[in-house]
mmCIF file of all heavy atoms in Angstrom:
data_model
loop_
_atom_site.group_PDB
_atom_site.id
_atom_site.type_symbol
_atom_site.label_atom_id
_atom_site.label_comp_id
_atom_site.label_asym_id
_atom_site.label_seq_id
_atom_site.Cartn_x
_atom_site.Cartn_y
_atom_site.Cartn_z
ATOM 1 N N GLU E 69 -67.776 -126.709 132.358
ATOM 2 C CA GLU E 69 -66.924 -127.720 131.747
ATOM 3 C C GLU E 69 -65.447 -127.438 132.026
ATOM 4 O O GLU E 69 -64.639 -128.365 132.130
ATOM 5 C CB GLU E 69 -67.173 -127.761 130.243
ATOM 6 C CG GLU E 69 -68.546 -128.297 129.859
ATOM 7 C CD GLU E 69 -68.707 -128.422 128.360
ATOM 8 O OE1 GLU E 69 -67.721 -128.135 127.628
ATOM 9 O OE2 GLU E 69 -69.800 -128.806 127.912
ATOM 10 N N ILE E 70 -65.093 -126.152 132.130
ATOM 11 C CA ILE E 70 -63.694 -125.800 132.405
ATOM 12 C C ILE E 70 -63.262 -126.334 133.761
ATOM 13 O O ILE E 70 -62.183 -126.927 133.917
ATOM 14 C CB ILE E 70 -63.502 -124.266 132.339
ATOM 15 C CG1 ILE E 70 -63.764 -123.755 130.915
ATOM 16 C CG2 ILE E 70 -62.095 -123.885 132.801
ATOM 17 C CD1 ILE E 70 -63.648 -122.254 130.777
ATOM 18 N N LEU E 71 -64.129 -126.139 134.794
ATOM 19 C CA LEU E 71 -63.810 -126.635 136.129
ATOM 20 C C LEU E 71 -63.687 -128.159 136.109
ATOM 21 O O LEU E 71 -62.769 -128.721 136.718
ATOM 22 C CB LEU E 71 -64.891 -126.213 137.122
ATOM 23 C CG LEU E 71 -64.748 -126.755 138.551
ATOM 24 C CD1 LEU E 71 -63.423 -126.317 139.160
ATOM 25 C CD2 LEU E 71 -65.923 -126.310 139.421
ATOM 26 N N GLN E 72 -64.583 -128.808 135.401
ATOM 27 C CA GLN E 72 -64.539 -130.269 135.322
ATOM 28 C C GLN E 72 -63.244 -130.743 134.668
ATOM 29 O O GLN E 72 -62.613 -131.692 135.135
ATOM 30 C CB GLN E 72 -65.743 -130.780 134.542
ATOM 31 C CG GLN E 72 -65.975 -132.275 134.668
ATOM 32 C CD GLN E 72 -67.262 -132.712 134.031
ATOM 33 O OE1 GLN E 72 -67.605 -132.287 132.935
ATOM 34 N NE2 GLN E 72 -68.002 -133.581 134.700
ATOM 35 N N MET E 73 -62.815 -130.068 133.601
ATOM 36 C CA MET E 73 -61.568 -130.437 132.920
ATOM 37 C C MET E 73 -60.365 -130.224 133.831
ATOM 38 O O MET E 73 -59.434 -131.026 133.845
ATOM 39 C CB MET E 73 -61.431 -129.634 131.629
ATOM 40 C CG MET E 73 -62.434 -130.013 130.544
ATOM 41 S SD MET E 73 -62.331 -128.935 129.088
ATOM 42 C CE MET E 73 -60.647 -129.246 128.561
ATOM 43 N N VAL E 74 -60.377 -129.126 134.592
ATOM 44 C CA VAL E 74 -59.268 -128.850 135.510
ATOM 45 C C VAL E 74 -59.174 -129.929 136.583
ATOM 46 O O VAL E 74 -58.083 -130.425 136.898
ATOM 47 C CB VAL E 74 -59.445 -127.463 136.150
ATOM 48 C CG1 VAL E 74 -58.444 -127.273 137.298
ATOM 49 C CG2 VAL E 74 -59.256 -126.360 135.118
ATOM 50 N N LEU E 75 -60.317 -130.320 137.136
ATOM 51 C CA LEU E 75 -60.328 -131.326 138.194
ATOM 52 C C LEU E 75 -59.874 -132.698 137.672
ATOM 53 O O LEU E 75 -59.118 -133.405 138.341
ATOM 54 C CB LEU E 75 -61.723 -131.432 138.797
ATOM 55 C CG LEU E 75 -62.212 -130.186 139.561
ATOM 56 C CD1 LEU E 75 -63.647 -130.354 140.013
ATOM 57 C CD2 LEU E 75 -61.309 -129.902 140.757
ATOM 58 N N VAL E 76 -60.319 -133.055 136.476
ATOM 59 C CA VAL E 76 -59.862 -134.305 135.873
ATOM 60 C C VAL E 76 -58.364 -134.237 135.606
ATOM 61 O O VAL E 76 -57.632 -135.217 135.812
ATOM 62 C CB VAL E 76 -60.631 -134.601 134.569
ATOM 63 C CG1 VAL E 76 -60.022 -135.795 133.837
ATOM 64 C CG2 VAL E 76 -62.097 -134.871 134.872
ATOM 65 N N GLY E 77 -57.888 -133.073 135.163
ATOM 66 C CA GLY E 77 -56.457 -132.887 134.935
ATOM 67 C C GLY E 77 -55.640 -133.082 136.203
ATOM 68 O O GLY E 77 -54.560 -133.692 136.174
ATOM 69 N N LEU E 78 -56.161 -132.581 137.322
ATOM 70 C CA LEU E 78 -55.462 -132.769 138.603
ATOM 71 C C LEU E 78 -55.384 -134.247 138.974
ATOM 72 O O LEU E 78 -54.361 -134.717 139.492
ATOM 73 C CB LEU E 78 -56.180 -131.992 139.702
ATOM 74 C CG LEU E 78 -56.107 -130.462 139.630
ATOM 75 C CD1 LEU E 78 -56.931 -129.840 140.754
ATOM 76 C CD2 LEU E 78 -54.670 -129.987 139.707
ATOM 77 N N ALA E 79 -56.461 -134.995 138.709
ATOM 78 C CA ALA E 79 -56.456 -136.424 138.996
ATOM 79 C C ALA E 79 -55.431 -137.151 138.128
ATOM 80 O O ALA E 79 -54.732 -138.059 138.591
ATOM 81 C CB ALA E 79 -57.852 -137.012 138.784
ATOM 82 N N VAL E 80 -55.326 -136.754 136.863
ATOM 83 C CA VAL E 80 -54.347 -137.369 135.960
ATOM 84 C C VAL E 80 -52.924 -137.054 136.423
ATOM 85 O O VAL E 80 -52.044 -137.922 136.420
ATOM 86 C CB VAL E 80 -54.561 -136.878 134.513
ATOM 87 C CG1 VAL E 80 -53.434 -137.353 133.604
ATOM 88 C CG2 VAL E 80 -55.912 -137.364 133.985
ATOM 89 N N ILE E 81 -52.695 -135.805 136.828
ATOM 90 C CA ILE E 81 -51.372 -135.415 137.327
ATOM 91 C C ILE E 81 -51.012 -136.224 138.574
ATOM 92 O O ILE E 81 -49.866 -136.667 138.742
ATOM 93 C CB ILE E 81 -51.337 -133.899 137.638
ATOM 94 C CG1 ILE E 81 -51.466 -133.091 136.347
ATOM 95 C CG2 ILE E 81 -50.044 -133.529 138.365
ATOM 96 C CD1 ILE E 81 -51.627 -131.598 136.581
ATOM 97 N N ALA E 82 -51.994 -136.444 139.448
ATOM 98 C CA ALA E 82 -51.753 -137.244 140.651
ATOM 99 C C ALA E 82 -51.370 -138.671 140.284
ATOM 100 O O ALA E 82 -50.447 -139.251 140.872
ATOM 101 C CB ALA E 82 -53.000 -137.243 141.531
ATOM 102 N N LEU E 83 -52.059 -139.231 139.295
ATOM 103 C CA LEU E 83 -51.744 -140.591 138.856
ATOM 104 C C LEU E 83 -50.337 -140.665 138.268
ATOM 105 O O LEU E 83 -49.579 -141.593 138.551
ATOM 106 C CB LEU E 83 -52.770 -141.061 137.823
ATOM 107 C CG LEU E 83 -52.588 -142.466 137.261
ATOM 108 C CD1 LEU E 83 -52.643 -143.506 138.376
ATOM 109 C CD2 LEU E 83 -53.634 -142.775 136.199
ATOM 110 N N LEU E 84 -49.974 -139.663 137.477
ATOM 111 C CA LEU E 84 -48.625 -139.615 136.915
ATOM 112 C C LEU E 84 -47.583 -139.453 138.021
ATOM 113 O O LEU E 84 -46.488 -140.009 137.943
ATOM 114 C CB LEU E 84 -48.510 -138.453 135.920
ATOM 115 C CG LEU E 84 -49.292 -138.616 134.610
ATOM 116 C CD1 LEU E 84 -49.192 -137.337 133.782
ATOM 117 C CD2 LEU E 84 -48.765 -139.804 133.813
ATOM 118 N N GLY E 85 -47.934 -138.710 139.052
ATOM 119 C CA GLY E 85 -47.026 -138.546 140.182
ATOM 120 C C GLY E 85 -46.741 -139.845 140.886
ATOM 121 O O GLY E 85 -45.627 -140.086 141.359
ATOM 122 N N VAL E 86 -47.758 -140.734 140.942
ATOM 123 C CA VAL E 86 -47.577 -142.046 141.555
ATOM 124 C C VAL E 86 -46.687 -142.923 140.681
ATOM 125 O O VAL E 86 -45.746 -143.568 141.158
ATOM 126 C CB VAL E 86 -48.948 -142.728 141.775
ATOM 127 C CG1 VAL E 86 -48.751 -144.159 142.270
ATOM 128 C CG2 VAL E 86 -49.785 -141.938 142.767
ATOM 129 N N VAL E 87 -46.980 -142.945 139.376
ATOM 130 C CA VAL E 87 -46.237 -143.798 138.449
ATOM 131 C C VAL E 87 -44.788 -143.351 138.301
ATOM 132 O O VAL E 87 -43.867 -144.169 138.219
ATOM 133 C CB VAL E 87 -46.931 -143.812 137.070
ATOM 134 C CG1 VAL E 87 -46.105 -144.605 136.060
ATOM 135 C CG2 VAL E 87 -48.325 -144.406 137.179
ATOM 136 N N LEU E 88 -44.574 -142.037 138.297
ATOM 137 C CA LEU E 88 -43.241 -141.480 138.035
ATOM 138 C C LEU E 88 -42.521 -141.038 139.313
ATOM 139 O O LEU E 88 -41.628 -140.196 139.261
ATOM 140 C CB LEU E 88 -43.356 -140.286 137.080
ATOM 141 C CG LEU E 88 -43.999 -140.573 135.717
ATOM 142 C CD1 LEU E 88 -44.150 -139.287 134.912
ATOM 143 C CD2 LEU E 88 -43.182 -141.596 134.931
ATOM 144 N N GLU E 89 -42.904 -141.620 140.433
ATOM 145 C CA GLU E 89 -42.313 -141.210 141.716
ATOM 146 C C GLU E 89 -40.790 -141.308 141.703
ATOM 147 O O GLU E 89 -40.094 -140.411 142.191
ATOM 148 C CB GLU E 89 -42.883 -142.074 142.833
ATOM 149 C CG GLU E 89 -42.334 -141.724 144.207
ATOM 150 C CD GLU E 89 -42.905 -142.609 145.305
ATOM 151 O OE1 GLU E 89 -43.489 -143.655 144.965
ATOM 152 O OE2 GLU E 89 -42.748 -142.267 146.480
ATOM 153 N N ASP E 90 -40.249 -142.381 141.138
ATOM 154 C CA ASP E 90 -38.794 -142.572 141.117
ATOM 155 C C ASP E 90 -38.097 -141.621 140.160
ATOM 156 O O ASP E 90 -36.886 -141.399 140.271
ATOM 157 C CB ASP E 90 -38.463 -144.016 140.718
ATOM 158 C CG ASP E 90 -38.897 -145.014 141.780
ATOM 159 O OD1 ASP E 90 -38.978 -144.609 142.956
ATOM 160 O OD2 ASP E 90 -39.162 -146.185 141.430
ATOM 161 N N VAL E 91 -38.853 -141.057 139.226
ATOM 162 C CA VAL E 91 -38.267 -140.131 138.241
ATOM 163 C C VAL E 91 -38.254 -138.704 138.769
ATOM 164 O O VAL E 91 -37.251 -137.997 138.681
ATOM 165 C CB VAL E 91 -39.043 -140.199 136.908
ATOM 166 C CG1 VAL E 91 -38.480 -139.181 135.907
ATOM 167 C CG2 VAL E 91 -38.990 -141.612 136.331
ATOM 168 N N ILE E 92 -39.388 -138.270 139.346
ATOM 169 C CA ILE E 92 -39.499 -136.886 139.811
ATOM 170 C C ILE E 92 -38.984 -136.717 141.242
ATOM 171 O O ILE E 92 -38.806 -135.580 141.708
ATOM 172 C CB ILE E 92 -40.951 -136.395 139.721
ATOM 173 C CG1 ILE E 92 -41.872 -137.237 140.628
ATOM 174 C CG2 ILE E 92 -41.445 -136.465 138.280
ATOM 175 C CD1 ILE E 92 -43.323 -136.781 140.643
ATOM 176 N N HIS E 93 -38.773 -137.848 141.949
ATOM 177 C CA HIS E 93 -38.243 -137.828 143.321
ATOM 178 C C HIS E 93 -39.106 -137.004 144.268
ATOM 179 O O HIS E 93 -38.606 -136.284 145.135
ATOM 180 C CB HIS E 93 -36.810 -137.291 143.329
ATOM 181 C CG HIS E 93 -35.869 -138.088 142.477
ATOM 182 N ND1 HIS E 93 -35.524 -139.398 142.754
ATOM 183 C CD2 HIS E 93 -35.219 -137.770 141.303
ATOM 184 C CE1 HIS E 93 -34.696 -139.844 141.825
ATOM 185 N NE2 HIS E 93 -34.500 -138.895 140.936
ATOM 186 N N VAL E 94 -40.421 -137.093 144.081
ATOM 187 C CA VAL E 94 -41.379 -136.474 144.997
ATOM 188 C C VAL E 94 -42.270 -137.582 145.522
ATOM 189 O O VAL E 94 -42.876 -138.324 144.737
ATOM 190 C CB VAL E 94 -42.228 -135.392 144.298
ATOM 191 C CG1 VAL E 94 -43.227 -134.787 145.297
ATOM 192 C CG2 VAL E 94 -41.339 -134.314 143.705
ATOM 193 N N ASN E 95 -42.353 -137.700 146.826
ATOM 194 C CA ASN E 95 -43.122 -138.773 147.442
ATOM 195 C C ASN E 95 -44.573 -138.749 146.965
ATOM 196 O O ASN E 95 -45.229 -137.718 146.954
ATOM 197 C CB ASN E 95 -43.079 -138.616 148.963
ATOM 198 C CG ASN E 95 -43.720 -139.771 149.678
ATOM 199 O OD1 ASN E 95 -44.938 -139.842 149.764
ATOM 200 N ND2 ASN E 95 -42.911 -140.675 150.192
ATOM 201 N N LYS E 96 -45.089 -139.944 146.583
ATOM 202 C CA LYS E 96 -46.441 -140.019 146.033
ATOM 203 C C LYS E 96 -47.502 -139.612 147.055
ATOM 204 O O LYS E 96 -48.574 -139.117 146.673
ATOM 205 C CB LYS E 96 -46.721 -141.427 145.515
ATOM 206 C CG LYS E 96 -46.708 -142.516 146.567
ATOM 207 C CD LYS E 96 -46.954 -143.886 145.950
ATOM 208 C CE LYS E 96 -46.924 -144.994 147.001
ATOM 209 N NZ LYS E 96 -47.128 -146.323 146.410
ATOM 210 N N ALA E 97 -47.230 -139.828 148.337
ATOM 211 C CA ALA E 97 -48.189 -139.430 149.364
ATOM 212 C C ALA E 97 -48.364 -137.913 149.386
ATOM 213 O O ALA E 97 -49.484 -137.398 149.531
ATOM 214 C CB ALA E 97 -47.726 -139.931 150.732
ATOM 215 N N LYS E 98 -47.260 -137.176 149.218
ATOM 216 C CA LYS E 98 -47.329 -135.715 149.213
ATOM 217 C C LYS E 98 -48.085 -135.201 147.993
ATOM 218 O O LYS E 98 -48.887 -134.270 148.089
ATOM 219 C CB LYS E 98 -45.917 -135.136 149.237
ATOM 220 C CG LYS E 98 -45.120 -135.488 150.483
ATOM 221 C CD LYS E 98 -43.691 -134.999 150.398
ATOM 222 C CE LYS E 98 -42.891 -135.412 151.618
ATOM 223 N NZ LYS E 98 -41.465 -135.000 151.524
ATOM 224 N N VAL E 99 -47.830 -135.831 146.845
ATOM 225 C CA VAL E 99 -48.485 -135.410 145.606
ATOM 226 C C VAL E 99 -49.987 -135.630 145.689
ATOM 227 O O VAL E 99 -50.794 -134.722 145.415
ATOM 228 C CB VAL E 99 -47.899 -136.161 144.396
ATOM 229 C CG1 VAL E 99 -48.693 -135.848 143.127
ATOM 230 C CG2 VAL E 99 -46.433 -135.796 144.196
#
């Protein structure tokens, strides 16, 4: 379950990276 939670967390972080691209100034493709 720990691995599953970590992997889901990475997917959520990726989604936030796309939404907040203009805030964090990191290209969404790289994230």
Side-chain angles (χ1 to χ4, degrees):
E69 291 184 3
I70 295 178
L71 175 59
Q72 193 173 44
M73 291 175 61
V74 169
L75 294 175
V76 172
L78 291 177
V80 172
I81 293 172
L83 180 60
L84 290 175
V86 174
V87 175
L88 301 176
E89 180 181 15
D90 293 334
V91 177
I92 62 178
H93 301 294
V94 179
N95 186 281
K96 63 182 179 181
K98 297 175 183 177
V99 173

